[in-house]
């Protein structure tokens, strides 16, 4: 079910969307999605995981990161800091008791909640892949660019990568960020079976993986 | 199984993961099967993801300068590149 939540932003409070399965049950899971293209590639998997969790007696909410998905906020105004604030706000608004952070979501989730991180990713790895995509597409167009020069430019003035306008703060933040998990359990792809959907060049789905993820979370949360 | 055979198996599995080929299409790749330019899924973002996974799974580092049509043109080209990087060929 779509719901909105009030998210502080540079131009005041903005309404952001979340996919919500809420029957006021004891375990309420906040899902923090991956960043950039991996968010789109994993969306069907995560919403299916929410449906499965609903059947297993767990409430869940998947909020948009400001500037992403249905968000009306400007992407170029975002940083890891603004995403961390937003996810902490969503956790409070929805009364989350647990958190699942997926891939780059592990850089911005509310660390005070117990829960899980799924194949967490370093910020520098995310940035490197985005820089590489830009260098490759420049090369196809007959231009020479270098990752090192682009990174320097990005840290000073911001940078357009893979169709996203990254602020200087976001570039610098990603370059330095490591997953924030401390006590949350790390889930590996091998725990879910199949191949990782965030790697797919075209978005896919795999209900068996979503079911495995939901079962694992429900079993551990409900102890 | 030699290390080159293992590299071949691992690379098929990786291309299956990234391109969603399915086991049958991944197994049917030959040295002459076209990759970059032949598979529409393989745009620059997908190539960047593929290279990152290759680095992680084969424990090698690929410079941007090394990435071109010679390296990614066919399945055989890519396999030979990885084997060379790993000191297998």
């Amino acid at each position: 079910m779509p719901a909105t939540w009030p998210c502080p932003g540079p131009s005041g409070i903005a309404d952001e969307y979340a996919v919500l399965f809420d029957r006021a049950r004891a375990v309420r899971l906040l899902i923090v999605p991956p960043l950039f293209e991996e968010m789109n590639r994993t969306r069907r998997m995560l919403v299916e995981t929410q449906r499965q969790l609903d059947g297993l007696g767990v409430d869940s909410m998947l909020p948009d990161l400001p500037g992403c998905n249905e968000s009306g906020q400007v992407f170029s105004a975002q940083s890891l800091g603004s995403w961390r604030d937003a996810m902490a706000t969503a956790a409070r608004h929805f009364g989350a008791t647990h958190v699942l952070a997926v891939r780059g979501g592990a850089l911005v989730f509310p660390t005070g909640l117990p829960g899980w991180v799924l194949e967490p990713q370093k910020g520098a790895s995310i940035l490197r892949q985005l820089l590489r995509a830009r260098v490759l597409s420049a090369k196809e167009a007959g231009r020479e660019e270098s990752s090192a020069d682009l990174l320097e430019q990005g840290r000073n003035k911001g940078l357009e990568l893979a169709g996203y306008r990254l602020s200087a703060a976001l570039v610098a933040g990603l370059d330095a960020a490591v997953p924030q998990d401390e006590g949350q359990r790390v889930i590996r792809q091998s725990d879910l079976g199949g191949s990782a959907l965030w790697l797919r060049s075209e978005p896919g789905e795999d209900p068996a993986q979503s079911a495995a993820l939901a079962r694992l979370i429900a079993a551990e949360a409900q102890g | 199984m030699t290390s080159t055979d293992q590299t071949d198996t691992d690379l098929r599995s990786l291309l299956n993961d990234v391109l969603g080929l399915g086991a049958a299409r991944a197994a049917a790749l030959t040295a002459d099967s076209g990759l970059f330019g032949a598979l529409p899924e393989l745009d620059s973002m997908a190539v960047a993801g593929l290279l990152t996974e290759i680095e992680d799974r084969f424990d090698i580092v690929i410079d941007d300068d090394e990435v071109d049509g010679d390296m990614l043109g066919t399945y055989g080209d890519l396999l030979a590149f990885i084997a060379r990087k790993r000191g297998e060929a």
Side-chain angles (χ1 to χ4, degrees):
Chain A
M1 322 305 116
T4 59
W5 51 285
C7 178
S11 33
I13 300 289
D15 273 341
E16 295 290 1
Y17 278 94
V19 180
L20 178 66
F21 287 78
D22 185 358
R23 300 178 203 256
R25 290 170 288 196
V27 179
R28 298 172 64 77
L29 181 75
L30 174 78
I31 302 178
V32 180
L35 312 182
F36 302 101
E37 195 54 32
E38 289 195 359
M39 181 187 320
N40 304 323
R41 293 174 182 170
T42 56
R43 187 147 185 96
R44 292 184 67 88
M45 175 205 176
L46 293 179
V47 174
E48 178 58 23
T49 301
Q50 290 188 278
R51 279 195 203 98
Q52 297 279 339
L53 283 167
D54 184 45
L56 294 167
V58 173
D59 287 349
S60 64
M61 60 273 340
L62 171 61
D64 284 347
L65 293 168
C68 304
N69 208 37
E70 304 292 331
S71 173
Q73 296 197 56
V74 180
F75 186 90
S76 60
Q78 306 305 321
S79 63
L80 292 183
S82 73
W83 287 340
R84 284 182 191 127
D85 289 348
M87 292 301 98
T89 302
R92 277 194 304 274
H93 176 78
F94 291 113
T97 60
H98 292 73
V99 67
L100 166 68
V102 183
R103 302 284 287 163
L107 307 175
V108 298
F109 76 103
T111 54
L113 289 173
W116 304 264
V117 290
L118 174 56
E119 290 281 1
Q121 210 183 8
K122 278 189 292 194
S125 305
I126 298 172
L127 195 54
R128 176 142 189 263
Q129 194 166 324
L130 290 168
L131 287 165
R132 181 172 253 167
R134 169 151 170 175
V135 169
L136 291 175
S137 64
K139 196 182 244 184
E140 275 180 79
R143 292 193 315 275
E144 278 295 321
E145 292 186 330
S146 98
S147 288
D149 293 347
L150 288 170
L151 179 58
E152 183 62 25
Q153 182 192 330
R155 294 175 64 98
N156 290 323
K157 300 188 301 195
L159 189 63
E160 180 156 334
L161 294 173
Y164 296 94
R165 178 76 208 171
L166 281 72
S167 66
L170 182 54
V171 173
L174 283 172
D175 195 31
V178 293
Q180 307 281 296
D181 54 304
E182 226 182 52
Q184 289 82 12
R185 187 162 97 69
V186 178
I187 302 174
R188 293 294 172 194
Q189 180 63 36
S190 54
D191 299 328
L192 307 182
S195 68
L197 290 164
W198 53 80
L199 295 179
R200 290 283 170 84
S201 49
E202 303 289 331
E205 60 188 326
D206 181 349
Q209 282 189 42
S210 295
L213 181 57
R215 277 197 306 273
L216 188 155
I217 288 171
E220 293 185 11
Q222 294 165 339
Chain B
M1 190 180 264
T2 66
S3 58
T4 315
D5 288 341
Q6 188 63 51
T7 303
D8 178 66
T9 305
D10 292 347
L11 182 59
R12 285 175 198 274
S13 156
L14 195 159
L15 284 166
N16 183 26
D17 290 352
V18 172
L19 298 170
L21 295 176
R25 276 180 72 198
L29 290 168
T30 68
D32 294 332
S33 299
L35 296 180
F36 194 51
L39 297 171
E41 304 96 314
L42 217 47
D43 60 12
S44 58
M45 194 66 214
V47 170
L50 178 66
L51 296 176
T52 306
E53 275 303 297
I54 288 174
E55 290 183 323
D56 284 355
R57 296 199 200 178
F58 294 100
D59 196 23
I60 57 176
V61 176
I62 303 170
D63 289 333
D64 293 339
D65 294 346
E66 297 177 294
V67 183
D68 55 25
D70 292 342
M71 175 227 182
L72 273 169
T74 65
Y75 180 74
D77 292 337
L78 183 57
L79 186 61
F81 173 83
I82 296 170
R84 197 163 58 242
K85 279 294 226 181
R86 300 184 81 193
E88 291 168 0

